[in-house]
Amino acid sequence: MKIGVYAGSFDPITKGHYDVIKKSLKITDKLIVAVMNNSNKKGWFSLEERKDMIKLLIGEDSDRIEVKSFDGLLINFMKENGADIIIRGLRAVSDYEYELGYAFANHDLSYGEIETVFIPAAREYMYLSSSSVREAAMVGARLDIFVDDKIAEIVKEKAKTIKG
């Protein structure tokens, strides 16, 4: 069984992230969406809120997708979960250069047992990021082009709370 891990902060999960999740199901038997608990990163949503938004989106695919959180080394998390494929979404050439270094490091740290698979973002999501969603939400811009309708209201409410 091929188990893949798609890790990120997902603060919030965007349509681009969800696109990579759906594409990942074509090459894995099971996908773990691993939400990073990174205390160095100041995000909008708590770890549980981010996991809940992902679960809200995956709905019908939940029999093949598991949502978990982790901190520490990704390869340790993967070993604990029997996973052998890292899924990384790519938007631009700069993503590739950045991610390639991590792919080599993870391969070496795992003694060659873990491979990284790069999945390009759909054309319409090439320049979409969670930070751009947060910026749009802060100025009251439309969010339907960035996030699924199921979580747009959650993001809008969080922006109102942050603005005070």
Side-chain angles (χ1 to χ4, degrees):
M1 180 191 263
K2 288 287 178 193
I3 300 173
V5 172
Y6 179 39
S9 55
F10 306 108
D11 188 44
I13 185 168
T14 68
K15 285 185 173 182
H17 293 131
Y18 189 53
D19 180 60
V20 171
I21 289 171
K22 289 188 291 187
K23 289 175 179 177
S24 298
L25 292 174
K26 295 179 181 179
I27 60 170
T28 61
D29 299 308
K30 177 182 173 184
L31 180 67
I32 300 171
V33 179
V35 183
M36 289 189 291
N37 184 20
N38 185 347
S39 57
N40 295 330
K41 214 172 186 182
K42 182 68 180 140
W44 272 21
F45 296 94
S46 71
L47 186 63
E48 287 307 312
E49 287 172 322
R50 290 180 280 147
K51 287 170 58 179
D52 288 345
M53 284 188 285
I54 295 166
K55 289 175 185 175
L56 186 63
L57 286 182
I58 61 174
E60 72 229 20
D61 293 319
S62 60
D63 61 324
R64 292 186 51 214
I65 302 174
E66 207 172 335
V67 180
K68 294 185 173 188
S69 59
F70 81 101
D71 50 23
L73 280 178
L74 179 58
I75 60 164
N76 291 342
F77 174 82
M78 294 186 66
K79 286 178 185 175
E80 291 166 11
N81 288 278
D84 53 1
I85 301 170
I86 297 172
I87 305 290
R88 297 303 297 161
L90 296 179
R91 294 174 293 186
V93 172
S94 58
D95 280 353
Y96 178 73
E97 292 177 31
Y98 175 81
E99 294 292 347
L100 191 59
Y102 279 109
F104 287 139
N106 287 325
H107 186 267
D108 292 345
L109 289 170
S110 70
Y111 299 97
E113 293 186 18
I114 292 175
E115 295 294 340
T116 300
V117 173
F118 299 114
I119 296 180
R123 194 173 292 119
E124 62 266 31
Y125 307 130
M126 289 292 291
Y127 297 99
L128 176 57
S129 67
S130 293
S131 57
S132 62
V133 172
R134 294 190 304 266
E135 289 174 24
M138 287 301 282
V139 297
R142 62 185 274 215
L143 298 181
D144 62 310
I145 55 176
F146 302 131
V147 297
D148 190 277
D149 291 340
K150 293 176 183 173
I151 66 162
E153 202 56 44
I154 298 168
V155 176
K156 287 177 189 176
E157 287 303 314
K158 184 62 85 169
K160 287 178 191 174
T161 303
I162 290 170
K163 283 167 66 171

